[in-house]
Amino acid sequence: MSVLFWLISLLVLIYLGVGEVVLVVLVGLATLAGMYLDGWGMISVILGAVLYGGSAVVIVPSAWRRKSLSAPILDWIKGKLPKLSDTEAEALKSGDVDWDGELFSGKPNWNRLLEYAHPHFSPEEQAFLDGPVEKLCGMLNDWEITHELYDLPESVWTYIRESGFFGLVIPKAFGGMGFSATAHSEIVMKVSSRSVSAAVTVMVPNSLGPGELLLHYGTDEQKKYYLPRLAQGVEVPCFALTSPVAGSDAGAIPDRGVVSRGIWKGEEVLGLKVTWNKRYITLSPVATLIGLAIKVYDPDGLLGDEEDLGVTCVLIPHDTEGVVQGARHLPMNTVFMNGPIWGQDVFIPLDQVIGGQKMIGKGWTMLLESLSVGRSISLPALGTGAGKMSSLTTGAYAAVREQFGRSVSQFEGVQEAMEPIAGYTYLMDAARIFTAGMQDRGVRPAIPSAVLKYRNTELMRTVVNHAMDVIAGRGVISGPRNFLSSVYQAIPIGITVEGANILTRSLMIFGQGAIRCHPFIVDEIEAANMDDREAALRKFDGVFFKHMRHSTRNTLRAFLLGLSHGLLEPVPGKGGLQKYYRQLSRFSAAFAILTDISLVTLGGGLKARERLSGRMADCLIHLYYASAAIKQWHEEGYSEDMRPVVEWGLQTSLHDLQQQMRRLIENYPVKALRRPLKWLVFPLGLRMRLPDDALGRQVALSIVQDGQVRDRLVRGVYITEDPSDAVGRVLHAYRMAQDTKRIRDKLHDAIRKTDPDELQDLEMLLGHQRKELVDWAVERDIVAESDRETLVEALDAMYDVIRVDAFDGKDIEALADASKGKLKEIARP
């Protein structure tokens, strides 16, 4: 009994996560209780004392434990922990750990999630959204921008500069708007719903650009001079990071600056001779202020003894001698300014280093932190905007488009495509708001930003593809009427830039997150790399045995929660979401123990296991997006109208999480662990199911039926019912169809009951002679005379929606001539 009591108490207390002292005391009491029940038998006393004494020695810190246990373990573990490059080590120090750390812990605190401050717009931010942003969107004609001008109209450029769109995040003290991250995200999303080209033009100066870097790292002089000029649009910024030969490995950039003396504004000063060759640089063709990432070298020792000073960020005015702003790139039929830029031995003084001389070599840290900010705002907002516009237009089009006498939205095949459009749009928006809110709480979300960038752009691809399936032939004909082709063509841009999605998924999210967010691994790595043996042992001893208790607890939690289907987990009772909280807690524990096992068994080889890392990244993504959906619904007051969409998102996330974890275990690199891991994680088998058809139908129809859910899903995008506009045409027809539904239902019912001999002529009228059809209905008192004009207008609007653009020979020739002339103009050397 003493052995049994010792074991049970030890496991239960570890499961509950009690501290060291409480653990030792309570295990001792339980062991004594077992001895007592055994009548203080010799064997029971000896075994109980040995086991208790051994566990106490392991649990309680001591010099003996450090020397006899920690020292050999540290020597062994040095070869198992991942070896970090300098850039990876810098990455671990950048950014903050927030809710992502809770998910990695294996025991997320759901009350903490619900208590996080939720972002809200200030009156000034709301006024900007309702005023300048609304006006800008109304000025944008995407067909004109992408097929006639190959640029934003000059009036739009002027309005963007003069209305403060380049200074959204620059503080008011420097002439900027000083807006929150959430407002920044909302502005980009709204503009992107109108034009990707305009959205990219707005978002780049406010995310990765000199402004962001100057704000956090610039000298006082640099801030005072440049920030007001950037905020007022006097300077147009770009930031050049990507080199042709370096690609995604920013740490391998060949671009360099050599410390030397030179002439600047007529005086000889100490500075850098900069040589670079960059491409894919947004705004570079029109930039007046160029930010550059280079490596600085000091071969003559002008700054000290060290020659290789590291990655550095510098500012170069575009009119500096030797700067070449090359011809434009045209990214996938979007026409935001983008192109190569280069220079050879361009001299700049040291005060053009962002942050001054003391920041030489600190560029990688600066970039990592700025990238994490931009990555969590710009492209996720663009992806969400695409989802909302797909929901808005596709739902309206499906409602209006009729086949066989009824709306195509009533066909189950169409509903199956609309279901993920609505469901994924809600998930994208919830995750966008949740992550922007982190920034507004002062968090620098390193891992969540990578999660959000990857997932929102991938969901954008999924949602827009489904939308194209629904509108079918209407979506594949280019022209001013097409409301979806532009964003469809732009999808690869979001997938590729700010960290290609393959790289982000397979290396960054889990590869960086497994170490950065783990409660103990960073300290263990630091201990393993310390030169002072005694200090290393003290540090390692203080964390390793806590790590062991942490892993044991998560192993027990994963198995017991899986076995009980999560019923052992206490969770919040709000919103009727208990079953979802329990499953997410269970999978968080499984995710945590899989992380630990992978770090121990694969060690430094984990970086090369990109399929495993990718699947682990997917697990984290589904945990994160489900959390965001819960948080968003909580903040919106648990509206029952939204429940179907929220539950669809949670059920889909849990099912996909289960499937990725299953695939991971089935293909685990250490084959001997596959079966034990399957028993541990799925003791009752695969229990998570996709949403059933009834729920799927509700979600699909949520973007068809006018009401609160549709309004919520499309909230924040630009909406017009102007029938001459590509989007407005669909929404105008949708509104007319909604207003005349009762009359049209009566008309269709009458047609169905018509004599078969007359039916063929009526079908012809229904298709092409709408006025004559209404006349027929009025003559037979099917439609009231007072409804004649309204019904004709509605039928004309509904027919107009299905029309596509057609160009005669002269039109095509004119387009070709315009393109040819414009391309000649911009393809300058």
Side-chain angles (χ1 to χ4, degrees):
M1 292 294 289
S2 60
V3 175
L4 183 62
F5 272 47
W6 168 81
L7 180 61
I8 291 174
S9 63
L10 183 65
L11 294 178
V12 168
L13 293 169
I14 288 176
Y15 180 90
L16 294 175
V18 301
E20 294 168 346
V21 175
V22 175
L23 179 61
V24 170
V25 171
L26 293 182
V27 168
L29 292 175
T31 307
L32 289 172
M35 294 177 184
Y36 169 76
L37 291 175
D38 279 338
W40 301 104
M42 183 177 296
I43 294 177
S44 177
V45 170
I46 292 173
L47 284 177
V50 169
L51 290 172
Y52 174 69
S55 59
V57 166
V58 171
I59 294 169
V60 178
S62 66
W64 183 90
R65 190 180 77 171
R66 284 199 303 273
K67 181 179 178 181
S68 302
L69 296 179
S70 297
I73 293 172
L74 177 59
D75 292 337
W76 173 79
I77 213 166
K78 281 184 177 181
K80 303 300 283 184
L81 289 172
K83 298 288 191 299
L84 302 180
S85 65
D86 291 340
T87 54
E88 288 172 323
E90 288 290 336
L92 289 182
K93 297 175 185 176
S94 67
D96 300 313
V97 177
D98 196 71
W99 183 248
D100 45 327
E102 291 283 340
L103 296 175
F104 267 96
S105 76
K107 196 178 188 324
N109 184 340
W110 298 110
N111 287 316
R112 181 184 177 194
L113 173 73
L114 301 181
E115 290 166 2
Y116 282 138
H118 193 65
H120 298 282
F121 301 132
S122 69
E124 188 177 4
E125 291 168 342
Q126 189 63 60
F128 192 81
L129 283 162
D130 295 339
V133 179
E134 186 80 5
K135 181 176 179 179
L136 173 61
C137 289
M139 297 170 69
L140 301 172
N141 179 324
D142 203 57
W143 175 261
E144 176 191 47
I145 291 168
T146 58
H147 288 79
E148 296 173 7
L149 299 177
Y150 284 84
D151 193 2
L152 302 178
E154 187 55 42
S155 59
V156 170
W157 273 106
T158 299
Y159 188 74
I160 286 173
R161 289 196 300 267
E162 293 181 353
S163 299
F165 282 91
F166 283 173
L168 298 177
V169 300
I170 295 175
K172 293 179 182 180
F174 295 105
M177 307 303 294
F179 286 165
S180 65
T182 304
H184 177 195
S185 173
E186 195 82 3
I187 291 165
V188 170
M189 184 183 74
K190 188 166 187 172
V191 176
S192 75
S193 71
R194 193 64 173 161
S195 166
V196 172
S197 301
V200 173
T201 301
V202 168
M203 73 192 194
V204 166
N206 292 290
S207 54
L208 177 60
E212 182 77 22
L213 295 171
L214 284 167
L215 187 60
H216 294 291
Y217 305 104
T219 64
D220 290 341
E221 291 76 14
Q222 289 171 342
K223 290 178 182 179
K224 288 176 184 177
Y225 179 77
Y226 283 117
L227 289 180
R229 295 172 64 83
L230 290 168
Q232 296 158 17
V234 176
E235 301 278 8
V236 177
C238 73
F239 193 87
L241 175 61
T242 305
S243 296
V245 297
S248 296
D249 185 4
I253 55 175
D255 313 287
R256 59 169 49 207
V258 178
V259 180
S260 58
R261 293 192 174 277
I263 303 299
W264 181 261
K265 295 182 179 180
E267 295 183 14
E268 182 180 357
V269 295
L270 191 62
L272 302 172
K273 283 187 178 179
V274 185
T275 298
W276 76 95
N277 180 13
K278 306 282 192 178
R279 66 178 178 185
Y280 309 146
I281 310 306
T282 300
L283 295 186
S284 74
V286 295
T288 61
L289 182 63
I290 301 157
L292 279 181
I294 59 173
K295 285 185 175 178
V296 171
Y297 300 91
D298 185 15
D300 298 327
L302 297 176
L303 298 180
D305 298 332
E306 194 173 355
E307 179 175 345
D308 185 350
L309 301 180
V311 177
T312 301
C313 297
V314 301
L315 293 172
I316 302 182
H318 77 118
D319 54 1
T320 304
E321 184 178 355
V323 174
V324 182
Q325 292 168 276
R328 285 176 59 186
H329 302 313
L330 291 177
M332 297 300 291
N333 203 38
T334 57
V335 295
F336 58 85
M337 290 291 170
N338 187 279
I341 189 167
W342 64 90
Q344 181 75 34
D345 289 335
V346 176
F347 182 79
I348 57 171
L350 290 182
D351 59 15
Q352 291 301 116
V353 173
I354 297 179
Q357 182 177 330
K358 70 178 186 299
M359 295 303 291
I360 292 176
K362 304 292 178 55
W364 184 238
T365 299
M366 295 162 62
L367 288 172
L368 283 170
E369 294 185 349
S370 293
L371 279 169
S372 71
V373 171
R375 195 182 285 123
S376 63
I377 296 293
S378 300
L379 292 173
L382 192 150
T384 307
K388 286 175 177 278
M389 284 306 290
S390 295
S391 297
L392 179 70
T393 56
T394 308
Y397 181 83
V400 169
R401 182 75 166 105
E402 294 184 342
Q403 292 280 275
F404 310 108
R406 61 187 180 133
S407 163
V408 299
S409 66
Q410 298 303 311
F411 293 104
E412 289 189 357
V414 173
Q415 291 173 2
E416 194 171 8
M418 291 195 299
E419 176 185 333
I421 295 175
Y424 283 143
T425 294
Y426 183 79
L427 284 176
M428 280 194 281
D429 198 33
R432 174 188 71 89
I433 294 170
F434 181 45
T435 312
M438 284 184 185
Q439 289 195 41
D440 290 334
R441 288 190 282 110
V443 176
R444 298 168 300 166
I447 306 305
S449 69
V451 166
L452 192 68
K453 185 273 173 183
Y454 168 77
R455 184 61 172 168
N456 267 27
T457 54
E458 289 293 336
L459 289 181
M460 173 187 179
R461 171 156 55 184
T462 299
V463 164
V464 175
N465 277 337
H466 282 302
M468 289 291 286
D469 287 346
V470 172
I471 65 173
R474 177 69 172 80
V476 299
I477 304 301
S478 290
R481 288 174 168 269
N482 197 313
F483 53 84
L484 205 55
S485 62
S486 181
V487 69
Y488 179 78
Q489 293 177 72
I491 289 171
I493 298 171
I495 299 294
T496 302
V497 302
E498 289 192 26
N501 277 9
I502 289 176
L503 169 76
T504 302
R505 173 181 178 265
S506 61
L507 290 177
M508 290 181 61
I509 295 174
F510 180 70
Q512 184 179 346
I515 298 173
R516 184 71 181 88
C517 299
H518 196 286
F520 305 109
I521 286 291
V522 171
D523 287 335
E524 289 171 343
I525 290 175
E526 289 179 354
N529 287 283
M530 291 174 68
D531 294 327
D532 186 327
R533 174 74 172 176
E534 283 303 313
L537 271 176
R538 282 193 297 272
K539 185 177 183 66
F540 182 76
D541 181 78
V543 71
F544 176 75
F545 292 96
K546 291 179 182 177
H547 186 172
M548 290 302 97
R549 291 205 308 277
H550 168 82
S551 297
T552 304
R553 184 198 67 177
N554 282 327
T555 302
L556 292 168
R557 283 176 54 79
F559 180 72
L560 293 175
L561 292 178
L563 201 60
S564 67
H565 211 52
L567 293 176
L568 295 177
E569 183 75 354
V571 295
K574 298 178 181 178
L577 297 175
Q578 290 90 332
K579 62 182 179 181
Y580 300 112
Y581 281 123
R582 289 179 177 127
Q583 293 305 316
L584 290 168
S585 293
R586 166 203 166 187
F587 280 115
S588 174
F591 177 75
I593 194 59
L594 286 170
T595 298
D596 274 338
I597 290 171
S598 298
L599 287 168
V600 171
T601 58
L602 302 177
L606 181 60
K607 287 191 288 185
R609 300 287 185 172
E610 294 180 20
R611 288 178 183 257
L612 182 148
S613 290
R615 289 175 181 135
M616 289 293 283
D618 289 339
C619 294
L620 178 62
I621 286 166
H622 297 313
L623 287 167
Y624 187 84
Y625 273 65
S627 302
I630 289 173
K631 173 63 172 173
Q632 187 63 33
W633 197 37
H634 169 74
E635 295 298 333
E636 293 176 348
Y638 300 112
S639 164
E640 284 300 313
D641 289 339
M642 291 300 300
R643 181 180 289 277
V645 177
V646 175
E647 294 213 11
W648 186 95
L650 294 173
Q651 290 175 24
T652 301
S653 296
L654 281 168
H655 171 269
D656 293 348
L657 169 57
Q658 170 189 262
Q659 296 306 107
Q660 287 300 329
M661 208 164 274
R662 175 186 65 84
R663 289 284 292 155
L664 187 152
I665 291 171
E666 289 177 346
N667 294 276
Y668 202 75
V670 183
K671 292 184 179 180
L673 290 176
R674 291 177 185 176
R675 191 174 296 276
L677 287 175
K678 184 178 180 181
W679 289 337
L680 173 66
V681 176
F682 301 114
L684 298 181
L686 305 177
R687 303 290 294 274
M688 300 297 104
R689 299 287 181 263
L690 284 171
D692 62 27
D693 290 349
L695 180 57
R697 173 181 167 82
Q698 281 185 278
V699 172
L701 293 179
S702 68
I703 57 173
V704 174
Q705 298 165 344
D706 213 6
Q708 178 185 340
V709 181
R710 181 173 180 267
D711 291 345
R712 167 61 188 85
L713 288 174
V714 305
R715 185 179 67 196
V717 298
Y718 180 76
I719 295 178
T720 176
E721 293 188 10
D722 178 358
S724 67
D725 181 86
V727 172
R729 180 176 292 109
V730 181
L731 300 185
H732 171 68
Y734 177 77
R735 183 62 52 209
M736 293 298 299
Q738 294 288 312
D739 292 345
T740 60
K741 186 178 186 306
R742 178 188 57 81
I743 307 172
R744 289 184 300 103
D745 286 346
K746 189 176 179 182
L747 175 61
H748 284 304
D749 185 58
I751 291 172
R752 282 191 291 270
K753 295 176 181 177
T754 300
D755 185 275
D757 293 335
E758 192 181 1
L759 186 59
Q760 186 173 355
D761 292 337
L762 282 177
E763 288 175 343
M764 177 62 71
L765 292 178
L766 184 62
H768 299 286
Q769 295 170 281
R770 295 166 297 283
K771 182 178 181 301
E772 291 78 358
L773 176 66
V774 175
D775 290 343
W776 173 87
V778 171
E779 288 173 7
R780 287 160 176 76
D781 293 325
I782 298 167
V783 173
E785 176 65 38
S786 59
D787 291 327
R788 180 197 294 267
E789 281 190 31
T790 302
L791 183 56
V792 170
E793 184 183 355
L795 293 177
D796 284 345
M798 293 169 69
Y799 179 76
D800 192 43
V801 163
I802 67 174
R803 292 178 56 205
V804 297
D805 295 288
F807 303 92
D808 62 22
K810 289 183 179 179
D811 289 334
I812 295 290
E813 189 176 329
L815 278 173
D817 287 344
S819 298
K820 196 180 299 181
K822 184 59 64 175
L823 288 173
K824 275 184 180 178
E825 176 188 333
I826 62 178
R828 58 188 181 276

